[in-house]
């Protein structure tokens, strides 16, 4: 299981801004190991989804071009204090992680 | 006796390998890779990447802002913020035009999600970061050039 992800949601009017920080090496599969010269196999997040109170709001596909330990922020209209935001990711090896935050 | 036993063991082993393969073959694409645009993310040229997300004929739009540094000292971590003020924005894709694999991310917004994403991307060399925005069945784009002093793709 991957390390936990950090997630924070803040409210401005009726729009929530959700920021999250994931722990992931995000290997593109194009990099060579400096010592052995062997290609480092691709290992990166492929799908990220987010939901507000269980209703999907964001559905993203990622390649290896997202930086290591990815940062993601997005905004959702129609949110209110106390709502729950959930963020999930899955990587190309089938590993996954999920985090949840209350909008404060 | 012994031969039979070997065969049975082999048979059992073979069957379980098949089962594992089927599970890997069925479960993985079903759960993890089902809606991952492999052709697009593996495309090595800009046109292939754009075609895979339907962004080939995108029209330049002044209503999209691509916020990124003018000069990125470290191409491995380039902050990018894209805001689309086009009404009904339902998708934003990020493309690094000269990256080895140009397509970086493809976001879909629904149920009140705004035309806004902020993330950090890798860039191999100085090039345009392009946002492809989908709204109301049309495709728009906007770019911002980022000068990269140390590339972030590769060694």
């Amino acid at each position: 299981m991957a390390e936990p992800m950090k997630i924070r949601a803040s409210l401005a009017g009726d729009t929530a801004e959700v920021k999250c920080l994931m722990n992931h090496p995000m290997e593109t599969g194009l990099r060579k190991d400096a010592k052995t010269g062997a290609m480092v196999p691709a290992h990166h997040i492929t799908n990220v989804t987010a939901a507000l109170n269980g209703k999907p709001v964001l559905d993203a596909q990622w390649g290896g071009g997202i930086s290591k330990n990815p940062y993601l922020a997005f905004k959702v209209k129609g949110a209110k204090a106390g709502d729950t935001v959930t963020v999930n990711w899955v990587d190309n090896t089938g590993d996954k992680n999920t985090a949840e935050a209350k909008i404060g | 006796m012994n031969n039979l036993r070997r065969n049975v063991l082999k048979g059992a082993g073979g069957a379980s390998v098949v089962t594992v393969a089927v599970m890997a073959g069925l479960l993985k694409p079903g759960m993890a890779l089902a809606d991952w645009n492999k052709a697009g993310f593996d495309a090595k040229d800009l046109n292939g990447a754009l075609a895979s997300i339907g962004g080939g004929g995108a029209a330049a739009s002044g209503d999209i802002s691509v916020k990124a540094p003018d000069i990125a000292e470290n191409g491995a971590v380039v902050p990018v913020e894209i805001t689309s003020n086009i009404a009904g924005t339902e998708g934003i894709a990020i493309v690094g035009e000269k990256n080895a694999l140009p397509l970086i991310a493809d976001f879909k917004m629904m149920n009140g999600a705004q035309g806004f994403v902020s993330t950090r991307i890798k860039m191999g060399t100085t090039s345009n970061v392009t946002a492809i925005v989908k709204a109301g069945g049309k495709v728009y784009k906007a770019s911002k050039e980022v000068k990269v002093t140390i590339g972030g793709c590769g060694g």
Side-chain angles (χ1 to χ4, degrees):
Chain A
M1 189 69 189
E3 285 181 59
M5 101 175 91
K6 285 187 188 130
I7 178 168
R8 199 160 293 167
S10 58
L11 200 60
D14 67 342
T15 303
E17 180 167 11
V18 183
K19 296 177 178 176
C20 43
L21 204 51
M22 311 164 194
N23 272 299
H24 204 282
M26 297 303 283
E27 285 293 349
T28 56
L30 302 173
R31 196 172 68 87
K32 276 184 182 151
D33 188 300
K35 276 184 202 142
T36 63
M39 297 300 279
V40 178
H43 183 205
H44 60 81
I45 293 174
T46 54
N47 295 78
V48 181
T49 55
L52 177 69
N53 293 332
K55 221 163 106 184
V57 291
L58 189 74
D59 181 354
Q61 300 178 31
W62 284 6
I66 296 283
S67 298
K68 179 179 171 178
N69 295 334
Y71 167 77
L72 170 68
F74 58 93
K75 290 177 181 166
V76 187
K77 213 176 160 69
K80 53 188 186 305
D83 284 356
T84 305
V85 183
T86 322
V87 175
N88 289 292
W89 62 249
V90 180
D91 75 12
N92 63 332
T93 67
D95 198 4
K96 53 188 134 189
N97 207 338
T98 181
E100 195 178 279
K102 285 243 184 296
I103 297 172
Chain B
M1 278 287 275
N2 241 349
N3 276 342
L4 180 64
R5 187 163 169 265
R6 284 299 127 203
N7 279 339
V8 168
L9 282 175
K10 233 190 233 165
S16 74
V17 166
V18 169
T19 317
V20 168
V22 165
M23 280 172 65
L26 284 178
L27 283 178
K28 239 181 158 185
M31 296 173 72
L33 306 174
D35 30 351
W36 193 61
N37 174 7
K38 186 166 167 36
F41 284 106
D42 283 350
K44 291 193 164 53
D45 63 306
L46 181 61
N47 288 337
L50 288 179
S52 76
I53 53 168
S61 167
D63 292 328
I64 306 167
S65 112
V66 179
K67 225 161 91 182
D70 294 327
I71 298 175
E73 279 184 21
N74 181 358
V77 187
V78 182
V80 174
E81 189 178 294
I82 293 160
T83 310
S84 162
N85 293 316
I86 301 169
T89 293
E90 56 214 26
I92 296 178
I94 306 174
V95 177
E97 292 196 356
K98 285 190 190 154
N99 273 11
L101 302 173
L103 183 57
I104 295 172
D106 189 4
F107 296 88
K108 285 188 181 61
M109 286 82 184
M110 60 212 88
N111 294 327
Q114 302 289 286
F116 168 90
V117 291
S118 172
T119 185
R120 299 188 296 219
I121 66 168
K122 295 175 197 165
M123 290 185 68
T125 178
T126 297
S127 91
N128 274 342
V129 174
T130 299
I132 305 287
V133 172
K134 289 179 191 160
K138 292 211 173 110
V139 189
Y140 306 89
K141 69 175 176 182
S143 299
K144 160 109 174 66
E145 193 192 38
V146 178
K147 288 193 166 60
V148 176
T149 42
I150 306 168
C153 293

